[in-house]
Amino acid sequence: MSVALVQSEVRRFLQSTDPEVLCLRGNWGVGKTYSWNHFLKDAQDRNEIGFKRYAYVSLFGLKSLEELRFTIFENTLETTKIGNSPNLDTLRDQFSSVSQAFGRKAVASLSMVPKLNQYAPLLQSISYLSVTKTIICIDDIERRSNSLPIGEVMGLVSQLKDQKRCKIVLILNQGELGEPKEQEAFDTYKEKVIDIWLDFEPSAEDCARIALAEDSETNRLLSEACIDLGISNIRLIKKIERLANSAVPALAEYHKSITHQAIKTLALVSWGEFDKTDGPPIEYLQSRSSFDKWLGSREDNQSADEERWAPILNDYGFSHFDEMDLVLWRGVQKGYFDMGQLAQTAATLDKLAKDSVALQKLEAGWNAYHQSFANNVDDVATSIFEACMEGVHVLTPMNLNAAVTLLKELGKGEEASTLIDHYFSQRAGDDVITSFDDYAFAQDVTDGELQSRFRETAKREVNGRNARDVLEEMQTNSWSGSDEVTLSETSVAEYYEIFKSTEGELLPRIVRRALRFRQISNQNEYQKKINAAVEEALKQIAAESPLNKLRVRKFGIDL
């Protein structure tokens, strides 16, 4: 039964003043109670409720019919106050109505009698007598106490309808009334008592529309995610909404794609975490690789669930877990997020996202050149120039060379020089500049101005650091080409001074780093010069005393 049809019938039910019993039934978690409250509030806003009083009663934990009767009384409030919880004021209003009906003196004198608890059953009975022409919602029927049989509940419902002229709504989970005899008792009464049966079977679209009524960008994205996954559990959607509203504000400063990913991830992992029947478990999500989307399953013996999940996740755009996904999943498990970890992983993805956008703009800029025979020199030059200027942080030397070369051939030499200046200003200190000779495609940088700029900048960067700086900062198994240039231009005397002026734990580290190049079998000219100078400096130190000879020998120097 569609949600629109259910809502239409509920509206008719609420408008009418005829005594009726309506049963709203459906599977657990589909949002029966939530939707009933939504429909009720909508009718209140429209001023379309026939009766003036309303009571919501949960049978959870109620042990007797007397408790149920009094709970109906104490939870009754005026329909104009729907949306508020019953409180002392509403209970005072109820007792006031009892006083008016049975005489203020009678109720007042009764309340003055010592040991009032002895008269509680009498008070409950008097209170129940005042219940009339009221809309009563009875929920959680399957969670009632074993001491409150379903037959007694249904008998009271019949009495409320026939004698009290009330309208009653029963909210029922499909097939969950407990023991078989309770189901039999319910079946015996239902035909006599229940006038209207509404099977609540909302689609994912219905659930998203009902649960995410607030108009916000987060809810719009969350609605799309839940619909794409086919989540038709309003309780779960509201849980995801709470999690999203907790995590999303921490991502506001990053690229919008980060927020989009976070919301989609939260919907997906929450589905798997909280819906053990239909949702994919975390183990399955983590087992997927980025190739699964394109190559299909890697296993021929997939389970029926895996065959069902795979196309859903492919259409959803989920390929594999990244670090932010894992942080979000842990937050879903705990109910809160490690904001520090979330920010750290988001920052990494933010850079990738911005780089991706820049690369897309570069591609679009070059498309103006590659995909047209139009006579549009200025348009092509402007497109490439602006894309390179904006995406300079992702521009490789080869990309830069291609842009500079084309601009010059199109007569845009000034723009080419501006682009070169901008590149070296924004990329100062990058390894690709300071170690240009180590760049794998250095030979493909053919523009003369660009070649000179790279080598001059690299030389200037190298000359700005001395051998001590390099040796102190150099990693044991990692160094740049500019490091080799600096060390190869260091004299024996300079190495001697470095070694003699260094003490403590730093000394053996510096010596071992300086000797690191001896372990390379095919040494280049720089490395050979370094080895010769370092060994000669150490031999001079060894010659100074028998003690220093022993000290130098332990570094493997042949004396």
Side-chain angles (χ1 to χ4, degrees), residues 135-236:
I135 299 169
I136 302 169
C137 177
I138 300 179
D139 199 358
D140 297 320
I141 295 175
E142 65 283 348
R143 301 174 71 192
R144 72 199 179 284
S145 172
N146 291 334
S147 61
L148 180 58
I150 190 67
E152 291 188 7
V153 175
M154 296 299 285
L156 181 64
V157 169
S158 178
Q159 184 187 58
L160 287 167
K161 170 192 170 184
D162 296 333
Q163 299 179 22
K164 298 287 193 171
R165 310 294 293 170
C166 292
K167 301 178 76 69
I168 303 94
V169 177
L170 302 176
I171 298 181
L172 187 66
N173 281 342
Q174 190 78 23
E176 294 186 14
L177 287 175
E179 298 179 3
K181 65 178 182 179
E182 291 292 276
Q183 184 65 53
E184 292 174 8
F186 179 79
D187 292 340
T188 300
Y189 277 96
K190 68 180 183 181
E191 299 301 331
K192 300 176 183 178
V193 176
I194 298 174
D195 302 299
I196 307 161
W197 287 92
L198 298 180
D199 290 319
F200 194 64
E201 300 169 336
S203 65
E205 290 85 350
D206 291 329
C207 289
R209 177 174 52 81
I210 295 169
L212 303 171
E214 182 182 345
D215 186 17
S216 68
E217 179 68 5
T218 296
N219 278 9
R220 183 186 68 78
L221 294 170
L222 184 54
S223 176
E224 292 176 359
C226 290
I227 291 171
D228 289 344
L229 293 174
I231 298 176
S232 57
N233 184 313
I234 290 180
R235 191 172 302 179
L236 173 56

Side-chain angles (χ1 to χ4, degrees), residues 312-328:
I312 293 175
L313 296 183
N314 289 344
D315 292 342
Y316 194 61
F318 174 79
S319 59
H320 65 287
F321 252 42
D322 61 26
E323 290 184 356
M324 189 176 78
D325 294 333
L326 289 173
V327 171
L328 291 170

